[in-house]
Amino acid sequence: MSVAQGAELFPGSGDLPEQAMAELKSLGSDPYLALAQSYGQSAFAYGPGRGAAESPRGYAGGGGAFHPAPLGKSAESSGEQSGDEEDAFEPAKGSPAYERDGKLPAGALGKKPKEQRSLRLSINARERRRMHDLNDALDGLRSVIPYAHSPSVRKLSKIATLLLAKNYILMQAQALEEMRRLVAYLNQGQALSTPLPATLNPFGQSAVYPFSGTALPSCPEKCTAFPGTTSSLCKHCNDKP
DNA sequence: TAGGCCATCTGGTCCT
DNA sequence: AGGACCAGATGGCCTA
């Protein structure tokens, strides 16, 4: 695979995933590509290419009878006040506690019902926030994965996003490696005593190469190396807001 | 109508 | 003790 091929493989918005997949399949039998192909197929099978426009969904309706939040508006956008505020506090129908006796588990028996409810609502809100953070991160990932972003193409599912991202990283790594070999090859024709200036040598020691086998940087460095990651999402970061 | 995907609740476990 | 994380369960929405 040439670098040019790699650049064309995921040219960004507007390209059909099937076309990219076909290009992937046409490539060699490199282990990277074998992985990329298998995962790429899965990703595309799960994700885009179903031909339907992304339609607004009433996500907040989740939880069914217990949490009748307004359709088309997430619990978060409703200010952490999901429908459960108005609901009777009882275990979910599928939960072990409910299966057992339809009441709260023993761990919560030591508190007054009002405190139980307040605690449960607090826990639920935290969990919602956590899942929303996770979804925000997934959205960020989708935004940088080259696939068809047009409104006529359905948004990538979670699993498709992860698989495609992995696929994309592997492909970029291989393209980088090939570029590296190309530069080395070109340098062979030059005098060894005149190395490329740092600005022209993207693979020098100062270059960031994620697969060089070096240990991951410590947390503060990591946060600065990946500015898209907010410090609040980094459990090791000392610079929490 | 079945299957896929999703949001949410919930209890358990681990960590700080 | 409180928070983060995880997995199971449930029901809603959408598409084929």
Side-chain angles (χ1 to χ4, degrees):
Chain A
M1 181 180 77
S2 70
V3 174
Q5 278 179 309
E8 291 172 4
L9 207 52
F10 295 101
S13 62
D15 246 21
L16 292 177
E18 288 81 1
Q19 182 183 344
M21 203 54 228
E23 292 200 40
L24 258 183
K25 286 180 179 175
S26 72
L27 300 175
S29 57
D30 186 286
Y32 270 164
L33 291 177
L35 263 177
Q37 286 174 13
S38 66
Y39 283 101
Q41 279 180 323
S42 301
F44 290 132
Y46 277 114
R50 283 188 278 186
E54 175 74 4
S55 56
R57 300 175 59 143
Y59 285 138
F66 298 101
H67 324 289
L71 291 181
K73 188 179 183 184
S74 74
E76 188 176 51
S77 63
S78 62
E80 302 290 344
Q81 297 292 322
S82 68
D84 55 11
E85 285 289 345
E86 289 79 34
D87 295 337
F89 180 55
E90 56 186 29
K93 284 181 179 175
S95 70
Y98 189 95
E99 295 289 344
R100 185 170 56 249
D101 53 13
K103 296 177 181 177
L104 278 173
L109 291 180
K111 297 187 176 181
K112 297 175 183 177
K114 199 166 184 175
E115 292 176 350
Q116 293 174 13
R117 173 181 164 82
S118 174
L119 178 63
R120 191 64 250 179
L121 291 179
S122 168
I123 294 173
N124 290 351
R126 268 203 313 274
E127 178 67 8
R128 268 199 306 276
R129 219 176 304 131
R130 195 181 70 84
M131 295 308 296
H132 290 162
D133 286 344
L134 182 61
N135 288 335
D136 287 346
L138 273 168
D139 284 339
L141 188 56
R142 283 188 192 98
S143 71
V144 297
I145 296 177
Y147 76 103
H149 289 277
S150 72
S152 62
V153 175
R154 189 184 177 88
K155 187 172 77 173
L156 281 176
S157 68
K158 294 180 176 180
I159 182 69
T161 300
L162 295 175
L163 293 172
L164 204 52
K166 176 186 176 184
N167 184 9
Y168 184 53
I169 290 170
L170 294 177
M171 189 204 70
Q172 294 292 338
Q174 191 182 28
L176 191 57
E177 182 61 30
E178 184 155 342
M179 177 80 84
R180 212 177 173 181
R181 282 197 292 265
L182 179 61
V183 170
Y185 174 78
L186 293 175
N187 282 344
Q188 280 182 347
Q190 314 228 351
L192 292 177
S193 59
T194 58
L196 285 172
T199 53
L200 296 179
N201 183 6
F203 310 109
Q205 286 195 327
S206 62
V208 176
Y209 185 57
F211 303 96
S212 61
T214 58
L216 286 172
S218 62
C219 177
E221 298 173 49
K222 199 160 97 178
C223 289
T224 56
F226 301 96
T229 303
T230 62
S231 60
S232 66
L233 296 178
C234 176
K235 67 194 315 181
H236 304 296
C237 183
N238 294 325
D239 191 24
K240 291 186 180 304

